[in-house]
Amino acid sequence: MALFPKPAETQHVGLFFLNKRLIRIFIGVAAFLFIVFALLWRRRDEEALKLLPAPSINETEGYYPYATFSDYYPVSINPANKTTEDLCATFPKHLLSLVQPVLKMGHGEDRTKLEAQLDSVSACFHPDDLLIFSDLDERIREYTAIDVLADLPAGYFDRETNPDIGNYLLQKELERNGTLDKDKEATKKVNGWIIDRYKFLPQIERAWLLKPDRPFYFFYETDTYVVWDNVFRFLSTFDPDTPVYMGSPSPGRLDRDRDIKTWFANGGPGFALSRAAVKALIQRDTSTYGQYSGPSITEEWLPLLQHECCGDSVVGWTLWNKGVALQGYWPMFNPHPLHGIPFSDRYWCQPMITLHKTSPTDMVDVWKWEFGQRKFQRPLLYSDYWQFHRPGTSGFLENWDNGDWDSSKLGPEEGIDSFEKCKEACKREDNCLQWNWRGRDEMKCVLGRSFRYGEARKPEQKEEKWIDFNSGWFEDRINQWRKERPCDVVEWVGPSIKRVF
């Protein structure tokens, strides 16, 4: 035992080593706490993202201003003089491991729509990437369209109990004897619309069979315009192992047991299913030996399909009965065509995911245009798509219909009997941005608080009345309106079945 204190030099050396030891302990504890905090923070963010589909916000007005990023590389490219191959070289194909695209078509539909689809929205998919389901096996360019009706249960092919199937059987017969499309009169007898509704449920089953366990499946049609960059951004915020069924909401069947009106996703604007939702839909009971003991979804719901107007309605009802309710995401899934979008405060700063009934020309042109518009940290918004047609910069157009969305209708009883007087009526209303005069026998003035591009529309006869269409916009008001709405915040909307177009 030391009876005397250490020399001063020895004390200083001991304190030095003691201080170094304390410093190391402090640094170690700080690093440990930092790692724990970072993991907890990351987990909190991940949990927050998983909770996004079910927000506790005002259902009709709420939105999320969360950040998203584009995986296109380069994000933006001038499309002028670029080939499809040049444009598709920027497409983030690695994200097809997240989202499986599924295109539904029919052999008898307008081929200009299909050609435009393959030249635009679906142009960047390799044949192995894209599933195409139809009512006939056929080769389309380098793609194979799969007859998704061929393997339907036997009950579907009984003409007496299911007369609709006669259209499909006639088409198959014409194909076998080599007269399909050649014998125009016989081919016209095939009603593709009637058999279209039978494809919806089988396409989900077949998509899972051919591309199993994909996080998300995205179903769309030949006239659906899809903004893939926004799809990837949006779906990456969801948990695929939570049942998610999303699209543009349409009213469906009444659940009489619970007295609840159900909703389904309109097939035209497209819809998405998480793998958990697909599993819930196609799950079947099995016996002790692993054999199926229960019917497939197509077998189970044949009676409903025979009496329901639309296959997308049946999809919504079957999912509802499996415990998966629709999450409505209008206007991100939009049933309007591009030229028919009514630009207004309702969704000016909200992202666009899909459009419906897009004309073949617009489909290709806007797809190419989109490549020059993308931004890394901001999705494409409705305000961006205004730049494509630039509605409101024409002044006025004859034989043109800019529509009557968000409108008030004035008639001759208020002294409005001409295009000019309709314009003056709009001018007197501070919030009027466009007007539409329907002359000749109808004599109707339609004032708009929103503005649309519209479409050419020649004079037409309706119930023995002739109507012509002339449209006008106040460009200065629209420019001021746009200036006051810079979209500094991106409004990713929450799910709603009350917010419908």
Side-chain angles (χ1 to χ4, degrees), residues 421-445:
K421 288 183 179 180
C422 185
K423 175 183 177 180
E424 289 302 315
C426 184
K427 191 173 184 179
R428 289 192 297 269
E429 298 286 339
D430 291 339
N431 62 352
C432 182
L433 300 173
Q434 71 172 35
W435 69 97
N436 177 250
W437 174 246
R438 301 179 179 185
R440 293 203 190 182
D441 297 328
E442 184 157 347
M443 304 293 280
K444 179 187 293 184
C445 175

Side-chain angles (χ1 to χ4, degrees), residues 379-397:
L380 284 167
L381 310 178
Y382 278 92
S383 56
D384 296 311
Y385 280 88
W386 176 87
Q387 300 285 347
F388 183 74
H389 281 310
R390 301 177 68 83
T393 59
S394 304
F396 70 91
L397 291 172

Side-chain angles (χ1 to χ4, degrees), residues 117-385:
Q117 174 65 233
L118 296 178
D119 286 336
S120 58
V121 169
S122 301
C124 298
F125 298 138
H126 187 272
D128 291 337
D129 299 328
L130 177 65
L131 293 175
I132 302 180
F133 294 133
S134 183
D135 45 31
L136 190 74
D137 286 327
E138 59 181 317
R139 192 76 173 168
I140 302 172
R141 299 186 185 180
E142 69 271 28
Y143 301 94
T144 298
I146 299 171
D147 182 356
V148 77
L149 303 181
D151 296 326
L152 287 176
Y156 279 78
F157 298 102
D158 187 332
R159 290 177 184 263
E160 291 187 10
T161 58
N162 186 21
D164 292 343
I165 205 65
N167 291 277
Y168 172 72
L169 297 176
L170 174 59
Q171 181 169 271
K172 296 289 284 185
E173 181 183 346
L174 295 174
E175 179 198 22
R176 283 193 298 271
N177 63 31
T179 59
L180 184 63
D181 300 325
K182 296 177 182 177
D183 186 338
K184 301 298 183 182
E185 292 303 315
T187 302
K188 283 181 182 179
K189 295 178 181 178
V190 178
N191 189 327
W193 172 250
I194 287 180
I195 57 179
D196 182 76
R197 68 177 182 269
Y198 293 95
K199 302 171 196 168
F200 280 85
L201 285 176
Q203 73 171 345
I204 298 172
E205 287 184 300
R206 187 68 70 87
W208 181 270
L209 178 66
L210 296 175
K211 302 286 185 178
D213 212 35
R214 294 298 170 93
F216 294 94
Y217 295 82
F218 200 94
F219 300 87
Y220 63 108
E221 302 183 358
T222 55
D223 60 355
T224 310
Y225 185 80
V226 183
V227 187
W228 288 115
D229 186 40
N230 288 359
V231 170
F232 298 144
R233 290 173 189 253
F234 190 53
L235 291 183
S236 66
T237 68
F238 287 78
D239 177 6
D241 294 314
T242 297
V244 175
Y245 167 43
M246 65 169 66
S248 180
S250 293
R253 299 174 64 85
L254 174 67
D255 184 337
R256 298 185 184 279
D257 293 337
R258 287 176 279 186
D259 194 28
I260 298 175
K261 184 74 173 179
T262 66
W263 295 79
F264 68 91
N266 186 330
F271 62 96
L273 291 171
S274 68
R275 65 179 165 216
V278 176
K279 285 180 180 179
L281 183 66
I282 66 175
Q283 182 178 6
R284 297 171 66 181
D285 295 332
T286 56
S287 66
T288 306
Y289 302 100
Q291 300 296 319
Y292 289 125
S293 60
S296 68
I297 55 172
T298 48
E299 289 174 308
E300 183 179 359
W301 295 102
L302 171 59
L304 177 59
L305 270 169
Q306 290 177 280
H307 300 97
E308 193 77 0
C309 74
C310 311
D312 45 8
S313 172
V314 175
V315 169
W317 180 245
T318 55
L319 281 163
W320 172 264
N321 280 273
K322 297 291 186 177
V324 183
L326 174 70
Q327 295 180 16
Y329 280 102
W330 184 88
M332 295 197 295
F333 289 80
N334 200 318
H336 291 287
L338 182 64
H339 65 266
I341 294 170
F343 292 103
S344 69
D345 274 325
R346 299 173 80 177
Y347 43 89
W348 179 251
C349 297
Q350 295 173 5
M352 178 195 295
I353 287 181
T354 65
L355 294 167
H356 186 211
K357 297 182 179 178
T358 310
S359 71
T361 300
D362 277 354
M363 181 82 77
V364 175
D365 290 347
V366 76
W367 177 75
K368 292 180 178 178
W369 170 89
E370 182 187 309
F371 279 83
Q373 307 301 313
R374 297 191 193 98
K375 301 174 181 63
F376 177 61
Q377 293 184 320
R378 201 192 82 169
L380 284 167
L381 310 178
Y382 278 92
S383 56
D384 296 311
Y385 280 88

Side-chain angles (χ1 to χ4, degrees), residues 407-425:
S407 63
S408 58
K409 299 176 178 63
L410 299 176
E413 66 274 10
E414 299 183 34
I416 300 176
D417 57 6
S418 69
F419 179 81
E420 285 301 321
K421 288 183 179 180
C422 185
K423 175 183 177 180
E424 289 302 315

Side-chain angles (χ1 to χ4, degrees), residues 58-93:
N58 182 295
E59 199 179 32
T60 58
E61 300 297 334
Y63 60 85
Y64 290 99
Y66 54 80
T68 61
F69 306 95
S70 177
D71 275 87
Y72 278 76
Y73 186 80
V75 174
S76 181
I77 179 174
N78 186 350
N81 302 318
K82 296 291 192 301
T83 65
T84 299
E85 289 73 19
D86 293 333
L87 298 175
C88 287
T90 71
F91 187 87
K93 292 197 173 183

